[in-house]
Amino acid sequence: VQLQASGGGLAQPGGSLRLSCAASGFTLTSYAIGWFRQAPGKQREGVSLINTSDGSTYYADSVKGRFTVSSDSAKNTVYLQMNNLKPDDTAVYYCATLSHQLLSLWKFPRWYDYWGQGTLVTVSS
């Protein structure tokens, strides 16, 4: 099982970025996929999750209405579309797998099994 996160970079406040999480070694429907972020000196924070078996989605309050998670089973890839970015969104973003039986715990990183390497998002003017 491997996850490859990409798409990070520099964006201005109010701008957009789309992150990708390419999965290999398993099919997306085998796990739910979560997105986390970690800013310097802060704990890893759950941002969003998609239940790949039924398409249901979850968001942290801090990103609701601005971020959208989606999946493409043909490409075995999960996306995080981030709009109206704010400086507080600056962090390293990670994707990870979660058992479908543990969806209620999606905000807690300790329950995830496999992690991608992270991609840096910087929001600055």
Side-chain angles (χ1 to χ4, degrees):
V1 173
Q2 285 192 327
L3 298 171
Q4 180 78 30
S6 62
L10 176 64
Q12 292 190 338
S16 298
L17 285 173
R18 188 178 79 158
L19 305 184
S20 299
C21 176
S24 59
F26 68 100
T27 55
L28 277 185
T29 53
S30 299
Y31 294 98
I33 303 295
W35 285 98
F36 284 79
R37 65 186 181 187
Q38 189 164 19
K42 293 190 176 181
Q43 290 189 335
R44 195 164 292 193
E45 173 192 18
V47 173
S48 182
L49 177 126
I50 184 164
N51 179 353
T52 51
S53 63
D54 66 8
S56 56
T57 56
Y58 303 71
Y59 297 97
D61 288 344
S62 57
V63 306
K64 268 181 193 173
R66 300 189 298 122
F67 290 11
T68 303
V69 63
S70 62
S71 64
D72 184 335
S73 58
K75 296 183 178 179
N76 227 36
T77 299
V78 170
Y79 302 98
L80 185 68
Q81 177 67 43
M82 306 186 296
N83 298 329
N84 191 20
L85 283 164
K86 304 176 180 180
D88 283 351
D89 295 319
T90 296
V92 177
Y93 283 71
Y94 301 88
C95 56
T97 62
L98 180 70
S99 167
H100 289 298
Q101 282 69 48
L102 299 176
L103 295 180
S104 62
L105 301 172
W106 78 269
K107 290 185 178 180
F108 304 102
R110 65 172 291 185
W111 298 106
Y112 287 72
D113 301 305
Y114 302 99
W115 291 81
Q117 85 288 1
T119 184
L120 176 63
V121 172
T122 303
V123 183
S124 174
S125 55

